């Protein structure tokens, strides 16, 4: 299928992927698409899926960032969120953590010389979460691991943080009613519209997101 990028022609999904790849290459010199399923499903990991740049642009508007900010991308895979952070010129620092050794190595290879960016290999459940001011999750693991992660945030983080969770699995209820958590915003993504108003379906079903504020009070008890 040929790409028709100019004028008022039809915008195809291939066109959309081409735009994503152009940004990837401008930041890190290669595509960040992940064409295979997770090899760590038995550990609760979900398939790696790069978040589109237009989604990240909207979602990251909910983070109040400055030079002291330190974000954690939970399940960073090849590093699309890290690439967006650099592409957008955002202040502060960002760390990605990835359970899959191959994906972590891939992300480390292109971020190695990027200032303010770090990639860690391992489980987020083994990481000290206290330094971070914000968390980004794009459906990285199953609900059992998510429950443990939320409890870990509550146990370790003693200051206000913003958490953005994007998923098609209805995970929002895991946060509802917990002490110290409040919902800031929510919505969903399914289609992409370019500057000419052309639309293409990106997801087969809507991807829901919720933005949460956690006040850090539980860690102080």
């Amino acid at each position: 299928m040929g790409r028709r990028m100019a004028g008022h022609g039809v915008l195809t999904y291939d066109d959309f992927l081409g735009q994503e790849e152009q940004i990837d290459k401008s930041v890190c010199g290669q595509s960040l698409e992940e064409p295979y399923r997770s090899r760590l499903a038995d550990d609760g990991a979900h398939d790696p899926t790069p978040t589109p740049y237009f989604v990240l642009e909207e979602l990251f508007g909910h983070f109040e960032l400055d030079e002291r900010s330190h974000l954690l991308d939970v399940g960073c895979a090849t590093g699309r969120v890290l690439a967006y952070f650099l592409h957008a010129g955002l202040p502060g620092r960002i760390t990605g953590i990835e359970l899959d050794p191959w994906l972590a190595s891939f992300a480390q290879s292109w971020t190695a010389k990027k200032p303010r960016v770090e990639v860690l290999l391992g489980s987020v459940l083994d990481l000290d979460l206290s330094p971070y001011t914000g968390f980004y999750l794009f459906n990285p693991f199953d609900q059992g691991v998510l429950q443990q992660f939320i409890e870990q945030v509550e146990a370790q983080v003693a200051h206000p943080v913003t958490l953005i969770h994007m998923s098609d699995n209805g995970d929002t209820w895991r946060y509802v009613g917990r002490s110290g958590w409040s919902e800031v915003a929510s919505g969903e993504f399914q289609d992409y519209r370019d500057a000419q108003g052309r639309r293409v379906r990106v997801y087969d079903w809507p991807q829901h997101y919720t933005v949460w504020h956690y006040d850090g009070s539980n860690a102080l008890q």
Side-chain angles (χ1 to χ4, degrees):
M1 181 181 296
R3 293 179 178 173
R4 291 171 286 181
M5 304 293 293
H8 299 283
V10 175
L11 180 69
T12 70
Y13 186 65
D14 281 349
D15 294 337
F16 169 76
L17 291 180
Q19 294 174 356
E20 298 285 287
E21 186 176 50
Q22 286 177 15
I23 301 175
D24 286 346
K25 290 181 176 179
S26 73
V27 176
C28 55
Q30 56 195 308
S31 173
L32 300 178
E33 290 294 324
E34 301 129 9
Y36 59 84
R37 302 179 65 83
S38 174
R39 292 166 290 190
L40 300 171
D42 290 344
D43 296 317
H46 285 173
D47 294 340
T49 307
T51 311
Y53 285 101
F54 80 97
V55 171
L56 292 169
E57 182 176 6
E58 179 165 337
L59 293 183
F60 268 59
H62 294 285
F63 286 124
E64 295 183 3
L65 301 177
D66 57 31
E67 296 302 326
R68 298 167 296 176
S69 300
H70 192 175
L71 301 181
L72 180 67
D73 177 19
V74 180
C76 70
T78 57
R80 172 62 65 73
V81 173
L82 313 181
Y84 170 76
F85 183 87
L86 294 171
H87 174 69
L90 299 178
R93 300 169 56 199
I94 189 167
T95 295
I97 185 164
E98 175 54 50
L99 189 62
D100 185 313
W102 188 91
L103 291 173
S105 178
F106 183 100
Q108 288 168 343
S109 70
W110 74 260
T111 59
K113 296 183 179 180
K114 303 293 186 182
R116 304 181 295 114
V117 179
E118 179 183 27
V119 175
L120 305 175
L121 168 63
S123 169
V124 70
L125 300 181
D126 297 326
L127 184 65
D128 177 13
L129 302 182
S130 61
Y132 299 100
T133 62
F135 301 96
Y136 179 77
L137 293 80
F138 188 165
N139 194 26
F141 31 56
D142 64 25
Q143 293 194 1
V145 180
L146 174 60
Q147 180 71 27
Q148 294 178 66
F149 171 75
I150 295 172
E151 293 172 355
Q152 183 173 336
V153 172
E154 294 173 343
Q156 296 181 353
V157 179
H159 53 266
V161 297
T162 298
L163 183 149
I164 297 175
H165 191 137
M166 185 171 167
S167 173
D168 58 3
N169 294 331
D171 295 326
T172 299
W173 67 273
R174 288 283 177 179
Y175 302 89
V176 174
R178 301 187 71 92
S179 175
W181 294 86
S182 57
E183 182 178 328
V184 176
S186 65
E188 62 185 33
F189 298 96
Q190 189 169 16
D191 296 341
Y192 167 73
R193 185 190 296 272
D194 71 5
Q196 289 75 44
R198 300 175 300 176
R199 184 192 301 267
V200 65
R201 178 133 298 179
V202 174
Y203 296 111
D204 292 332
W205 48 85
Q207 302 289 307
H208 181 77
Y209 73 86
T210 310
V211 181
W212 296 93
H213 177 267
Y214 173 62
D215 63 14
S217 60
N218 293 336
L220 300 178
Q221 295 177 359

